[in-house]
Amino acid sequence: MSLNLCVLVSGKGSNLKAIIRASASGKIKSKIKLVITNKLTSGAFDICNREGIRCVYMAEENFSSRSKYINEFLRYLRKYKIDLILLAGYLRKLPEEIVKKYRNRILNIHPSLLPSFGGKGMYGLNVHRAVIDSGVKISGVTVHIVTETYDSGPIVMQKAVIVKDDDTPESLSLRTKKAEHILYPKVISLFESKKIKVKNQRVSFV
Ligand code: GRF
């Protein structure tokens, strides 16, 4: 089944690019119908421009009320008939109203093996710095379902990444990103072909 995807981006957008590539090459059947960014500096604008994908700038601070912001967000999701929302470096908590409406249809990718190295302040190079400082030999990537609580929704899939003795946060980040770009399309194709079953914290596909 082909799903209508919405990708939420705050930063560079390398995961967005990877999903576009996977869609263009037929690795996934789904198509990105909408990209939403909350940062004017995001790489999402250029990427979407080149690819002819609708990119919408939406930041809560530009709305006169929270409910107007949420309604506008939901209006876009409905307009583009979005089936699956993918957070790809989206540095903003999604309003609970959206999480509730799209229960089990919102995913996030995190650059560590959750539940380790997640939660407040754990984004970007901070994660990789904490991983190296802890001395663990294996790090990785997690795709999980977004719930009302940060970084702690049910885990869909993980991929391990080796931590090398001479790694810096930057070199570990590069290796981890490569794994992210493989894992996110894999998860999307799972959502395309199977029905998701979520029981407590466990995700299975039937
Ligand atoms: C990725 O490392 C992702 O795991 C995290 O934010 C980063 C986004 O990178 N949530 P990019 O903008 O896709 O390059």
Side-chain angles (χ1 to χ4, degrees):
M1 196 200 335
S2 164
L3 304 171
N4 293 337
L5 308 175
C6 171
V7 185
L8 307 190
V9 184
S10 302
K12 272 176 63 181
S14 74
N15 278 284
L16 168 64
K17 268 196 208 158
I19 299 166
I20 291 171
R21 272 200 307 273
S23 182
S25 70
K27 275 206 182 100
I28 60 171
K29 296 192 195 91
S30 303
K31 295 269 173 293
I32 300 174
K33 299 288 177 183
L34 176 67
V35 170
I36 295 177
T37 180
N38 63 327
K39 289 269 178 236
L40 288 169
T41 49
S42 172
F45 292 108
D46 274 354
I47 298 169
C48 289
N49 237 339
R50 280 199 302 272
E51 301 289 336
I53 296 171
R54 182 73 203 273
C55 183
V56 173
Y57 168 65
M58 212 177 320
E60 188 176 346
E61 53 271 27
N62 295 331
F63 288 83
S64 56
S65 73
R66 184 168 167 79
S67 64
K68 281 194 177 132
Y69 160 65
I70 294 169
N71 284 340
E72 183 69 348
F73 213 118
L74 288 170
R75 194 178 68 78
Y76 268 108
L77 297 175
R78 275 195 307 271
K79 182 174 174 196
Y80 287 87
K81 299 188 170 52
I82 298 305
D83 301 304
L84 191 62
I85 302 171
L86 305 161
L87 275 60
Y90 189 64
L91 297 173
R92 176 102 216 181
K93 201 164 182 283
L94 265 193
E96 290 193 359
E97 290 83 344
I98 297 174
V99 174
K100 281 204 177 71
K101 279 233 157 68
Y102 285 80
R103 177 75 66 202
N104 295 340
R105 293 192 290 151
I106 310 177
L107 304 176
N108 180 42
I109 190 156
H110 183 80
S112 77
L113 293 176
L114 289 173
S116 295
F117 309 107
K120 213 169 182 287
M122 282 296 169
Y123 61 87
L125 290 178
N126 293 352
V127 178
H128 304 297
R129 207 169 290 120
V131 164
I132 291 169
D133 288 349
S134 77
V136 296
K137 301 293 183 195
I138 297 172
S139 187
V141 184
T142 303
V143 174
H144 68 91
I145 291 172
V146 171
T147 59
E148 287 80 353
T149 331
Y150 216 65
D151 282 348
S152 45
I155 291 171
V156 180
M157 227 189 231
Q158 295 183 302
K159 186 170 170 61
V161 172
I162 297 288
V163 181
K164 295 187 179 169
D165 291 346
D166 59 352
D167 258 334
T168 59
E170 288 78 9
S171 65
L172 181 56
S173 164
L174 273 179
R175 197 174 315 113
T176 307
K177 282 259 175 109
K178 281 191 186 146
E180 293 186 26
H181 300 161
I182 297 169
L183 191 67
Y184 229 169
K186 254 196 194 153
V187 170
I188 297 168
S189 80
L190 204 53
F191 272 76
E192 288 173 347
S193 58
K194 307 234 183 211
K195 235 179 129 205
I196 183 169
K197 207 174 104 190
V198 183
K199 199 172 172 209
N200 303 322
Q201 269 295 105
R202 295 191 70 88
V203 173
S204 53
F205 287 86
V206 287

